[in-house]
Structure formats: structure tokens, C-alpha cells
Amino acid sequence: MSYIIMIITAIFVNNIVLAQFLGICPFLGVSKKVDTAGWMGLAVLFVMLIATLVTYPIYYGLLVPYGLGFMQTIVYILVIAALVQMVEIILKKSMPALYSALGVFLPLITTNCTILGVAINVINFEYNLGQSVVYSIATALGFTLAMVLFAGIREQTAITKTPKAMEGTPIALITAGLLAMAFMGFSGVDKGLSAALGL
């Protein structure tokens, strides 16, 4: 599969939030402001890339040779939690400006299932390490795009007049559903591009 098609598919066609429904908690909880959503997306990109680079060799170098593939999910959860803690400690000591910019978002990523989902997907899709890295970056960009778009819409709905019964969570859920339907319009784009490029 071409890297370009992989990137377009991960961002638009199979968006981790709007098509696969992973990472709904931060999508709904941290998307009230565009800048907050952007920082969350940056933190997810950073951790997702590191998690993919660490979990991939653990799976093929440790779990598969010893017949422990069935422990994949448990091992990944432990590794991701440990990674987030280590990244937090390293950033606090070496890059305090970046640490303060990311703030509460790093601990939130520990419970973000998009990280675990991508780590498992790269194994299920049988990607090599290069494809895994590209897929993780593209997926994080798709997550960020969905977060920022949703945050922008939520900021707009906060200043517009909505019916009393629809204020807050109800209008947010309806908006999320409409956004997911809008992204469904991209389905088939990857196949069209593959045909056009002769892949």
C-alpha cells in the first residue's frame, strides 16, 4: 500500500475517532476550546509515535518468539502507562516549557484508547516498522483534525442560541454524529486513489 494512500486513509477514511470510535472520552471532554484540542492532539501524536516504536519490537522480539502473543493487550497497556510516566518525568526535567505547555494532557493520554488501538492495529494490519510509524503519525493527525474541528464547532454553538433542552452535552453529541457522517463522505477515496495511481 502506498504511503500516501495510507496517510489519507488514516486521516479521513478510517479516522480513529469518527470511524473507529476510539478516543471518545478526550474527544468529548477536551474539545471545548480549539487551542486545548490542538495541544491534546500534539500530545497524542508524540506519545502515539513513541508507543508504536516501543510496542512493535516488543511484540515481534519478545511476545511472538516465546508464544506470548495472547498477552499483547495487557503488555501494551503496561508499556503505554510506563511510557507516559517516563515521558512526563523526562520532559519535566529537560524541557520544562514543553512540559508546562502539555500540562494535564500527558496524564490524560494514559487512558486514551487511541494509543492502544494504533499499537494493536499495526500488528493486525501486518505493517512493517516504517509503515507502522507512518500509520501512527497519520492516525494522530486524524485524531487532531477531528478534535480541532469538533472544538471549533463547539465554540460556535456555545455563542449561538440553542434550545434549552439541547444545551451542553446533547448538542455536542448531535454535532459529533453529524461530523462522523460528514467524514463518511470520504469512504471510497482510498480505493479511487489506488485505482488512479495503479496500485
Side-chain angles (χ1 to χ4, degrees):
M1 179 187 277
S2 166
Y3 284 111
I4 296 168
I5 293 171
M6 182 189 295
I7 291 166
I8 290 170
T9 302
I11 295 174
F12 299 106
V13 181
N14 290 325
N15 187 283
I16 196 87
V17 179
L18 300 172
Q20 299 180 44
F21 306 110
L22 295 173
I24 298 296
C25 291
F27 180 68
L28 293 173
V30 192
S31 61
K32 291 181 181 174
K33 292 184 179 178
V34 172
D35 57 341
T36 308
W39 280 113
M40 181 66 178
L42 176 68
V44 165
L45 172 64
F46 184 63
V47 174
M48 194 177 284
L49 181 59
I50 293 172
T52 302
L53 287 170
V54 171
T55 56
Y56 187 90
I58 285 174
Y59 182 78
Y60 285 111
L62 186 66
L63 297 180
V64 171
Y66 293 102
L68 299 172
F70 64 92
M71 293 188 67
Q72 178 188 29
T73 305
I74 294 169
V75 170
Y76 281 11
I77 289 169
L78 294 173
V79 167
I80 290 166
L83 270 174
V84 171
Q85 292 302 314
M86 283 177 18
V87 166
E88 195 172 358
I89 291 166
I90 291 167
L91 285 180
K92 192 173 185 178
K93 290 186 177 181
S94 62
M95 292 181 249
L98 181 59
Y99 174 78
S100 61
L102 292 175
V104 74
F105 302 121
L106 274 175
L108 279 174
I109 290 173
T110 309
T111 58
N112 189 344
C113 57
T114 57
I115 310 293
L116 179 63
V118 168
I120 291 172
N121 279 349
V122 297
I123 301 302
N124 291 343
F125 297 158
E126 298 178 355
Y127 288 154
N128 60 35
L129 188 57
Q131 290 172 323
S132 300
V133 168
V134 170
Y135 176 75
S136 67
I137 292 170
T139 302
L141 291 174
F143 177 84
T144 306
L145 175 67
M147 288 278 291
V148 170
L149 284 174
F150 188 55
I153 295 169
R154 285 186 79 177
E155 280 186 1
Q156 185 63 35
T157 56
I159 59 172
T160 56
K161 190 175 181 182
T162 53
K164 186 81 172 161
M166 298 298 289
E167 288 177 359
T169 305
I171 194 69
L173 291 173
I174 290 170
T175 304
L178 291 172
L179 197 56
M181 286 175 64
F183 268 69
M184 284 177 64
F186 291 110
S187 60
V189 169
D190 53 338
K191 292 179 181 72
L193 276 174
S194 296
L197 297 171
L199 299 171

